[in-house]
Amino acid sequence: MSEPDKFEDDLLYAITRTGEGFRAEQGGLVAGGYQRGRRRWRRRSTAALVGGAAALALVGTGAVYLVGHPAKDAGTVAASPARTFTAGSGTPVATPTTAQPSAPNVVTGDEVLATLRALLPKGETTQGKGRGTDDEQTKGTFAAADVVFDDGRGKSLIQIGIQKHRPGQGQSNSCPADLKLAQLDSCTGTTLPDGSRLQLLQGYEYPDKRATTKEWHALLTGPDGREISLSEWNAAAEKGAPDSRPEPPLTLDQLKSIVTDKSWDRVVASVGFDGVDVTALDPGLSLEEREATLTRLLPPGVTVTGRSGSPLAATFQLAQGQTTGSVVLRVENRAKSADEQAYKDALTLPDGNKVLTRGGPDGADKMPLTVNALHPNGIAVTAAQGPSGKPLLTEEQLRAIALSPAWKAGK
């Protein structure tokens, strides 16, 4: 997916997720695919734990990384008491007795932490914390652990996070074309025999190098949807902690060995898919069918000149004389969903339709003018002013489009 297409997909998701809040992250969107990609799994964590907000970079995924580094966030995770653990030289060792095996479909934070510790080379680990799939905040869609590791040459924070995405919803892990522009010392991308994609990079805590703290990173994405992200620093904590050693302790080969280890298979199996299940929401309407319906609902003089989008949401280019604009249209089938919470603040009309209007020039949430309608037949329609051109549709016209009885599920 190209960067312009990715931007459109991000925007479509962000402005049409009813009832989930909105945060403008335009800076992260336009800064480039690399900077957005390598931090996406952490930004997801922030968004989900403040209430499921749909930030521009989420693109339908909402899993969380909030284990936090040992020096901070002490109250966010129910961590086991800090203890010292010495691992072998790259080979798995016995799980600590404090991490008892859980039920087959659940992995506890202690188990995730024990797995990470067992895969580290010889050294001392302290201040360990883990988050498992039994965590109520993430609802089984995320697992993570972090430790402070010391191989005798200085302490290092090491963090791992594990998510699972549906097809087409994972992040790209390709390397940037210009390493200097991306402020990286190295980056490699490799396709493994099983079809997994591995990215290994050496960079810095702050891409502008305002501090000398280095961050080395491994990202594994697999055909089964897994995304295993492992980071290490040459400091005992993120963001402002003094450097404790010249470089992070693990080599790139060691990072690769950890993220590709089969020990994570059970964790991956336990993690639920995050994001929106597009298949369940598909109303059975093709882009052509949605365009035909939209065309009939547009006011006189406004025509459709182009379209682009996904199975659920699309941007339609509009024209009125010499003036051009666009409208974002999202049509979902919620007949099989119990998601009424999204419309809890909506106005219920006499015909049973529920309508919710947000955004606009004076909107506090700084989102485009957006009308969401939930029809009694379970079809949810969102009509919003699009990202290109001038606004050609008024609030009343968007409302008429969203509330029209013409929207029905396809075959």
Side-chain angles (χ1 to χ4, degrees):
M1 182 181 292
S2 68
E3 196 66 20
D5 289 342
K6 196 70 181 68
F7 179 89
E8 180 181 77
D9 195 38
D10 291 352
L11 181 63
L12 284 169
Y13 183 82
I15 68 176
T16 58
R17 292 309 299 158
T18 305
E20 291 185 333
F22 181 89
R23 288 190 296 113
E25 290 194 52
Q26 293 90 338
L29 281 169
V30 301
Y34 161 71
Q35 292 297 348
R36 184 180 64 220
R38 72 186 288 233
R39 300 289 185 179
R40 176 173 291 176
W41 63 286
R42 290 187 198 153
R43 286 207 310 273
R44 289 188 189 128
S45 72
T46 303
L49 278 164
V50 297
L56 284 179
L58 293 183
V59 199
T61 55
V64 182
Y65 187 83
L66 201 72
V67 169
H69 38 76
K72 302 176 183 178
D73 300 335
T76 61
V77 179
S80 57
R83 54 189 181 272
T84 299
F85 181 84
T86 302
S89 55
T91 58
V93 298
T95 299
T97 56
T98 51
Q100 297 298 324
S102 60
N105 60 338
V106 173
V107 172
T108 67
D110 276 349
E111 290 176 280
V112 180
L113 176 59
T115 302
L116 174 60
R117 281 173 158 162
L119 295 173
L120 293 173
K122 185 177 180 180
E124 182 181 77
T125 62
T126 56
Q127 303 183 59
K129 294 194 290 291
R131 183 184 288 274
T133 57
D134 55 349
D135 187 280
E136 293 184 358
Q137 288 181 298
T138 59
K139 300 185 184 302
T141 61
F142 192 72
D146 62 35
V147 296
V148 173
F149 174 74
D150 191 346
D151 59 0
R153 300 180 179 90
K155 294 182 178 182
S156 167
L157 172 64
I158 298 178
Q159 293 182 336
I160 194 164
I162 300 165
Q163 297 174 257
K164 194 159 62 179
H165 309 304
R166 294 182 177 87
Q169 295 187 358
Q171 64 170 294
S172 169
N173 62 354
S174 58
C175 291
D178 189 333
L179 293 182
K180 183 177 180 180
L181 182 63
Q183 300 290 358
L184 288 177
D185 291 336
S186 72
C187 183
T188 60
T190 307
T191 300
L192 304 181
D194 66 354
S196 298
R197 181 72 179 171
L198 174 68
Q199 181 195 64
L200 299 171
L201 61 86
Q202 294 174 313
Y204 296 83
E205 173 66 37
Y206 297 99
D208 60 6
K209 298 182 181 178
R210 75 188 78 165
T212 57
T213 305
K214 297 180 180 181
E215 178 186 356
W216 294 358
H217 184 73
L219 177 65
L220 179 75
T221 56
D224 60 357
R226 73 178 61 194
E227 178 180 298
I228 302 178
S229 184
L230 177 67
S231 288
E232 59 169 341
W233 290 261
N234 59 323
E238 288 185 86
K239 307 298 184 185
D243 294 353
S244 54
R245 51 189 298 142
E247 293 184 341
L250 306 182
T251 66
L252 294 181
D253 283 343
Q254 288 173 315
L255 292 177
K256 173 184 176 180
S257 178
I258 291 175
V259 297
T260 59
D261 194 272
K262 293 297 184 181
S263 300
W264 299 116
D265 287 354
R266 179 171 177 259
V267 180
V268 171
S270 177
V271 171
F273 286 101
D274 61 15
V276 176
D277 188 346
V278 175
T279 303
L281 295 176
D282 187 352
L285 298 174
S286 67
L287 269 174
E288 293 79 7
E289 290 171 324
R290 281 177 281 155
E291 179 180 331
T293 301
L294 174 64
T295 299
R296 295 194 298 269
L297 298 175
L298 290 173
V302 179
T303 60
V304 177
T305 60
R307 65 174 185 262
S308 61
S310 69
L312 291 183
T315 296
F316 292 90
Q317 302 301 321
L318 306 178
Q320 187 175 35
Q322 299 299 312
T323 305
T324 61
S326 59
V327 62
V328 174
L329 184 67
R330 186 179 183 102
V331 184
E332 302 175 358
N333 185 0
R334 297 199 177 197
K336 298 179 181 180
S337 171
D339 185 15
E340 294 293 328
Q341 182 67 17
Y343 285 86
K344 64 182 179 64
D345 297 323
L347 174 66
T348 301
L349 304 179
D351 60 3
N353 281 306
K354 296 182 178 181
V355 61
L356 184 65
T357 302
R358 299 181 59 206
D362 301 321
D365 48 15
K366 298 182 181 180
M367 71 179 293
L369 179 60
T370 305
V371 178
N372 299 280
L374 179 61
H375 295 246
N377 63 1
I379 295 295
V381 180
T382 296
Q385 290 176 346
S388 60
K390 295 184 178 180
L392 297 183
L393 302 177
T394 65
E395 178 179 335
E396 290 74 18
Q397 291 166 338
L398 289 173
R399 182 183 174 102
I401 291 172
L403 288 170
S404 172
W407 298 110
K408 299 178 182 179
K411 295 182 180 179

